[in-house]
Amino acid sequence: MSAQPGIVFLEEWLKRKCINPDKFVTRKSNSSSARAIIQAWADLRGSLQNSSFSQRHLQSLRTLVDSQTSLHVADPQARLVLGILSSSNISLPYESYPLFFRLLYIWVRKASKPTAAIIDSAMDVLSNLFSSQFDSGNCHAFFSESVLLLGSFSFASSAFESTKTFCLDLLSRVFVEKRQVLGSFTELLPDVLAGVGYALSSSVTVHYVTILDSLFEIWGTKDGPHGNISHGLMILYLTDWVMSNLINFQLLNKVHIFLQETFGTSKENYTPFVVFMAAAGVLRAANRSTSSGVKLDIVSRIRTCAVVCMEALVSDLVSQALRFKVLRNDSKNRLLLQCVLLGLVRTGSFSSNSSFFVCLALALLTEMFPLPQLYESVFSSGRLKLNEVKEHVDSILFKEAGVITGIFCNQYLSADEENKNIVENFLWQYCQDVYFGYRQVALLLKGKANELLEVLEKIAESAFLMVVVFALAVTKHKLNSKFSQEMQMEVSLKILISFSCMEYFRHVRLPEYMETIRKVVATVNKNEYACTCFVNSMPSYSDLTNGPDQKSNYLWSKDEVQTARVLFYLRVIPTFIECLPSLAFKNMIAPTVFLYLEHPNGKVAQASHSLFAAFMSMGKESEENDIASFKEQLVFHYIQRSLLGYPGITPFEGMASGVVGLVQHVPAGSPATYYCIQSLVDKANQLCFEANVSEADAWKRQQGEPEPSKKLLGLILRLVFLVDIQVLPKLMQLLAQLVTKLPQDAQDAVLNELYSQVANSDDVIRKPTLVSWLQSLSYLCAMGTHQNAASKESESEENPTLARVADPSSRVRLTAQL
């Protein structure tokens, strides 16, 4: 029996372990009752007694085989099967032979100690059958069941050595001669591999090299199966199972032969992905055997052989990749890359060889997250199919992305600096390729193939997580005193630009993301040149407005991928605005800021306002005249753009931050400030009378969001305490004109707010002026109300509250608070 308990039928275990078990039919016990099974055996006994075999007997055979999981075949039943097979009086249909073989296989695998005499009898029967029946009929099932049965006989511990030798003689001949069948019937591969696995685990060594060679050459033959990751996984687990048996049963001679023939010599006909996965399986077995009492030196030699073989294969692959730059058209190398990924997942990180690190990077970017290739397929006459992308997302390879990313980042720490730089450049370039590719794909497929876009985005989301985790590892390693400032600056810039390219796919809050941003921004904001380089990497105004393919119907505000990237810049630039030359803002940032002030997404427009406010607040009192002049020029454009879009597009909070920033930082008495307050008052006046402000109690409502007119009035009142003294009289004049035109409820609300602000103010310079102005404004409002009071005297008598508000003396009492 197997050294790994619980594995009764090796072929079924391999199917469960393979990447796509749906491609292989797994035998399941059907719902046949005990009575049906008993009846089936009775029918077969009747067949032997009556020397006849009909369709009813064939159905009985199928009933038994379909019950494989629960079926137990005892010695008498095994003899019955052999009796039918050896009878010269019974004419058996060809399709019955594989079923009889399966019953014998169930017997030998489930019996605790199969009877050696029955195995000997079986070999005599099989030898005769192979010579007479093997080449007749459709032989593919006959072939697979033969290999499976012969292998299981050779592995049976109770079989005689001579019997095992005879089994292996026969299996070797059958396997070598008929293995091309697997090219057309790949569904038989688990059964054949299981038979070979039993044979390789046998206690005798005859034909061992022949069987090994045949196994590793299957995928390299002209008519052999087309290799895929499922085959690779089956090889890994098969080799793990075989090597565990050899080690645990102390068959060290066979271990040596296996290692020498598979890894010790270079054989052209061996398929690289098969050899790699076999080495991974050997490594798994060796790692598990360290605790099984086997001598450590033996296990160490086994482990070393496997690792050296895997490193050699990977080094050769990386050499080709770096020399020829591309592997995407080479299916063999692509399969090897996939096997490297899964092999590392199944064995863990086992080598500090830098080639593994580079190979992991190539595999992640081209096989795990092959976004540039997928985008290219979309542009190539729409060849990319939805089911192809879904199959990739549902594959076990993609589901291992998190584990492989962890191994990848661990490998980064142990790699040499040259290979670190190579891989970093791979990653940063990949981010830009993803951005430009997905942007075009999104514009092309939006509204036409939304489901395909969603699946592509899932891959990109996982790629984003990989980039973030890797970038954090890079910052921890390189942003320290061991590296020059120039190196740290360069790395930080590349990470920031890469993050901007992947920003569209950031849908979750990641501590690693924020930590990396803080580290790289802290490095960049120490250097004016670095800040300028980052700003210059932002898409130009022409790129933003014309689209990637210069289509006439392109609308920049609908380009969500580009918007996400620009939003990243809008949020990061304020963190080092003080280090940024005003020329960079003028040439690169200002056009983008004013464009995105009108973006329909409030979050984006808000960020544009905040960046403008940050620029206005930068600099010192002694800043150069050209900078101050440039700021003043921007104010006119900013106020026009902002008020034009308010309240529809312009977010109030963003505009308020921009207005506050400009009135505090433009030179005192600047015409720009006068223009700003004049425009704000004009807009407030328009909004107040467009809204139905005369509606009863409209200005007393407290529930819900304040109306745009109230928000704007609140901003103007706030400016009373922010504008410079030279501009204050003009603001007071304009505000008084506005307030006196408001309905009475609005006047009361505005005056009360002003009273409160002035009373709480500590500004000893402007407070006396404001107190006098407020008293005059209160009087003017009271007089206006008094003139209308006579016409509403009767109404006032019925409404005491209105009469009190209209009473000028009430305003006087309010001003007394000052």
Side-chain angles (χ1 to χ4, degrees):
M1 292 294 290
S2 168
Q4 301 180 44
I7 302 177
V8 178
F9 301 116
L10 181 56
E11 77 286 356
E12 297 298 322
W13 182 69
L14 292 177
K15 292 174 188 177
R16 290 195 302 271
K17 288 291 188 179
C18 89
I19 190 168
N20 286 320
D22 292 341
K23 292 184 177 180
F24 303 103
V25 179
T26 302
R27 292 183 183 273
K28 296 181 180 179
S29 181
N30 64 9
S31 56
S32 298
S33 63
R35 178 178 297 178
I37 292 175
I38 292 172
Q39 183 60 50
W41 284 119
D43 289 343
L44 292 181
R45 281 192 295 271
S47 171
L48 181 60
Q49 293 169 0
N50 300 324
S51 299
S52 65
F53 196 91
S54 64
Q55 284 296 318
R56 180 168 63 86
H57 299 116
L58 186 61
Q59 184 57 45
S60 296
L61 262 180
R62 293 194 177 103
T63 299
L64 294 172
V65 171
D66 289 343
S67 303
Q68 170 174 307
T69 304
S70 58
L71 183 67
H72 180 74
V73 181
D75 286 0
Q77 293 157 331
R79 290 191 179 95
L80 171 62
V81 171
L82 292 175
I84 296 174
L85 287 173
S86 60
S87 175
S88 59
N89 299 323
I90 301 177
S91 178
L92 294 174
Y94 189 79
E95 60 267 30
S96 69
Y97 291 111
L99 299 174
F100 281 118
F101 294 168
R102 177 64 65 160
L103 289 180
L104 291 173
Y105 172 68
I106 296 171
W107 165 70
V108 76
R109 289 301 294 153
K110 283 195 171 183
S112 59
K113 191 173 183 181
T115 303
I118 298 179
I119 296 178
D120 282 347
S121 300
M123 289 311 304
D124 292 337
V125 174
L126 291 176
S127 179
N128 293 329
L129 283 175
F130 287 174
S131 61
S132 62
Q133 299 291 337
F134 200 88
D135 292 324
S136 60
N138 188 2
C139 71
H140 61 273
F142 194 107
F143 161 71
S144 63
E145 294 295 332
S146 299
V147 173
L148 186 63
L149 181 58
L150 290 170
S152 64
F153 280 170
S154 71
F155 183 57
S157 58
S158 59
F160 299 121
E161 294 293 303
S162 59
T163 304
K164 293 181 181 181
T165 300
F166 185 64
C167 282
L168 294 175
D169 285 339
L170 198 53
L171 183 145
S172 175
R173 180 169 60 85
V174 170
F175 185 40
V176 172
E177 291 179 0
K178 301 297 181 181
R179 61 183 178 175
Q180 68 272 13
V181 170
L182 295 173
S184 303
F185 300 95
T186 53
E187 68 275 8
L188 303 176
L189 194 58
D191 294 340
V192 174
L193 290 180
V196 171
Y198 291 133
L200 293 175
S201 301
S202 175
S203 59
V204 298
T205 59
V206 64
H207 299 300
Y208 199 75
V209 175
T210 301
I211 296 173
L212 269 179
D213 287 344
S214 298
L215 171 64
F216 284 90
E217 292 173 356
I218 293 176
W219 288 270
T221 58
K222 181 179 179 181
D223 299 324
H226 182 70
N228 58 46
I229 196 66
S230 299
H231 301 167
L233 271 178
M234 284 191 287
I235 288 293
L236 184 149
Y237 285 109
L238 176 71
T239 312
D240 179 12
W241 187 86
V242 169
M243 191 57 59
S244 296
N245 287 329
L246 298 181
I247 293 174
N248 293 333
F249 294 152
Q250 298 291 305
L251 301 174
L252 301 183
N253 183 39
K254 297 192 75 170
V255 171
H256 175 75
I257 296 173
F258 188 101
L259 298 177
Q260 179 62 31
E261 293 299 324
T262 308
F263 311 136
T265 57
S266 177
K267 299 185 178 181
E268 294 182 359
N269 294 332
Y270 278 20
T271 310
F273 89 91
V274 179
V275 176
F276 183 90
M277 292 305 260
V282 169
L283 188 59
R284 275 174 60 90
N287 291 339
R288 191 167 51 250
S289 298
T290 55
S291 59
S292 62
V294 182
K295 290 183 179 180
L296 291 179
D297 61 328
I298 297 175
V299 174
S300 178
R301 286 201 300 271
I302 295 172
R303 193 178 189 281
T304 301
C305 283
V307 171
V308 168
C309 173
M310 297 170 79
E311 288 178 347
L313 287 169
V314 167
S315 296
D316 184 59
L317 180 63
V318 169
S319 177
Q320 291 184 53
L322 297 182
R323 192 184 315 124
F324 302 111
K325 302 298 182 184
V326 64
L327 295 173
R328 70 180 64 176
N329 297 323
D330 190 330
S331 59
K332 292 182 180 179
N333 284 334
R334 287 193 57 198
L335 179 55
L336 181 54
L337 282 175
Q338 295 171 15
C339 288
V340 169
L341 289 176
L342 280 185
L344 285 173
V345 170
R346 297 297 184 268
T347 57
S349 183
F350 57 85
S351 172
S352 59
N353 189 306
S354 290
S355 293
F356 263 108
F357 174 56
V358 178
C359 188
L360 262 181
L362 291 171
L364 279 168
L365 303 184
T366 62
E367 300 303 323
M368 179 72 75
F369 310 118
L371 292 168
Q373 295 93 306
L374 294 176
Y375 300 153
E376 186 177 320
S377 296
V378 173
F379 301 132
S380 303
S381 305
R383 289 189 292 107
L384 185 63
K385 305 300 180 185
L386 175 61
N387 60 335
E388 295 176 8
V389 187
K390 279 187 172 181
E391 185 176 341
H392 178 74
V393 171
D394 294 335
S395 68
I396 197 170
L397 182 67
F398 187 75
K399 291 176 182 177
E400 299 286 4
V403 177
I404 294 173
T405 297
I407 296 174
F408 176 53
C409 292
N410 289 334
Q411 290 272 348
Y412 174 83
L413 299 177
S414 58
D416 58 70
E417 291 302 323
E418 180 183 359
N419 285 290
K420 279 188 175 80
N421 293 333
I422 290 174
V423 170
E424 287 171 27
N425 291 330
F426 281 165
L427 263 292
W428 312 145
Q429 184 60 50
Y430 173 82
C431 292
Q432 296 192 47
D433 293 343
V434 169
Y435 167 74
F436 289 110
Y438 189 80
R439 184 183 172 209
Q440 289 183 287
V441 167
L443 294 173
L444 179 66
L445 300 182
K446 194 75 171 179
K448 303 174 184 177
N450 290 337
E451 191 175 359
L452 176 57
L453 269 180
E454 290 174 4
V455 182
L456 287 172
E457 195 168 321
K458 284 183 180 179
I459 301 176
E461 288 173 15
S462 296
F464 168 79
L465 298 177
M466 180 266 295
V467 170
V468 169
V469 175
F470 177 77
L472 180 59
V474 174
T475 59
K476 289 181 177 179
H477 174 67
K478 288 195 170 179
L479 301 190
N480 60 61
S481 57
K482 292 190 299 183
F483 294 89
S484 66
Q485 289 294 328
E486 290 76 14
M487 173 67 76
Q488 295 182 48
M489 181 189 68
E490 181 182 354
V491 169
S492 298
L493 278 174
K494 289 179 178 179
I495 290 176
L496 281 176
I497 295 170
S498 299
F499 276 15
S500 75
C501 292
M502 301 297 288
E503 179 69 10
Y504 178 76
F505 309 107
R506 183 172 69 93
H507 300 317
V508 294
R509 295 182 64 87
L510 288 175
E512 296 87 350
Y513 176 83
M514 297 309 300
E515 182 179 352
T516 305
I517 289 288
R518 284 193 294 268
K519 287 178 180 291
V520 296
V521 167
T523 302
V524 170
N525 65 16
K526 298 176 184 177
N527 187 287
E528 181 180 297
Y529 174 75
C531 297
T532 305
C533 288
F534 177 66
V535 169
N536 289 336
S537 70
M538 184 167 57
S540 67
Y541 185 88
S542 176
D543 292 336
L544 294 175
T545 53
N546 290 325
D549 51 7
Q550 305 297 318
K551 285 187 176 180
S552 57
N553 60 348
Y554 173 77
L555 185 60
W556 65 271
S557 61
K558 298 292 185 182
D559 190 341
E560 297 178 354
V561 183
Q562 175 179 265
T563 297
R565 187 181 187 198
V566 172
L567 181 58
F568 180 86
Y569 281 91
L570 295 177
R571 286 172 168 170
V572 171
I573 290 174
T575 61
F576 50 73
I577 195 75
E578 289 292 339
C579 296
L580 192 66
S582 59
L583 188 62
F585 190 95
K586 182 177 183 180
N587 294 339
M588 288 296 299
I589 302 175
T592 302
V593 166
F594 283 104
L595 176 65
Y596 279 83
L597 285 176
E598 299 179 342
H599 197 283
N601 186 318
K603 180 171 61 176
V604 179
Q606 173 80 37
S608 298
H609 285 279
S610 299
L611 178 51
F612 174 81
F615 175 72
M616 295 303 296
S617 62
M618 68 171 279
K620 306 291 190 296
E621 293 294 332
S622 59
E623 63 184 359
E624 299 176 7
N625 291 334
D626 58 338
I627 299 179
S629 175
F630 177 57
K631 286 185 177 181
E632 291 184 82
Q633 294 173 26
L634 289 182
V635 169
F636 293 93
H637 299 292
Y638 176 76
I639 293 298
Q640 289 174 2
R641 288 284 184 96
S642 299
L643 292 180
L644 184 65
Y646 183 76
I649 296 176
T650 303
F652 174 77
E653 291 76 11
M655 180 176 66
S657 66
V659 169
V660 170
L662 70 90
V663 299
Q664 289 182 314
H665 295 93
V666 295
S670 169
T673 309
Y674 284 103
Y675 179 80
C676 173
I677 62 175
Q678 179 71 61
S679 301
L680 289 172
V681 172
D682 290 344
K683 187 69 174 183
N685 188 56
Q686 173 193 342
L687 292 176
C688 286
F689 290 96
E690 284 181 356
N692 191 9
V693 295
S694 60
E695 181 183 350
D697 295 330
W699 286 81
K700 296 182 180 179
R701 296 174 184 165
Q702 299 298 324
Q703 298 85 2
E705 182 74 12
E707 295 177 1
S709 55
K710 292 183 183 180
K711 289 183 177 181
L712 199 54
L713 266 173
L715 174 60
I716 296 172
L717 297 183
R718 184 182 174 193
L719 294 182
V720 170
F721 299 90
L722 297 177
V723 297
D724 62 89
I725 294 298
Q726 297 182 47
V727 180
L728 181 60
K730 182 63 175 179
L731 175 59
M732 294 162 60
Q733 175 191 352
L734 293 172
L735 184 56
Q737 293 172 359
L738 174 61
V739 172
T740 55
K741 295 178 184 179
L742 294 175
Q744 181 181 334
D745 289 336
Q747 290 178 358
D748 290 340
V750 172
L751 289 173
N752 279 322
E753 178 64 26
L754 280 170
Y755 296 150
S756 176
Q757 291 186 23
V758 173
N760 295 325
S761 174
D762 296 327
D763 191 336
V764 296
I765 296 177
R766 70 181 72 200
K767 187 169 183 176
T769 303
L770 290 174
V771 169
S772 175
W773 171 71
L774 257 180
Q775 291 173 338
S776 301
L777 179 58
S778 178
Y779 177 78
L780 289 174
C781 291
M783 289 300 98
T785 303
H786 182 67
Q787 292 173 3
N788 295 326
S791 62
K792 300 181 180 179
E793 184 176 352
S794 58
E795 182 180 353
S796 299
E797 292 174 356
E798 297 176 2
N799 192 337
T801 302
L802 182 61
R804 178 177 57 79
V805 174
D807 183 5
S809 62
S810 66
R811 302 277 171 79
V812 175
R813 287 193 295 274
L814 288 172
T815 59
Q817 301 172 19
L818 301 175

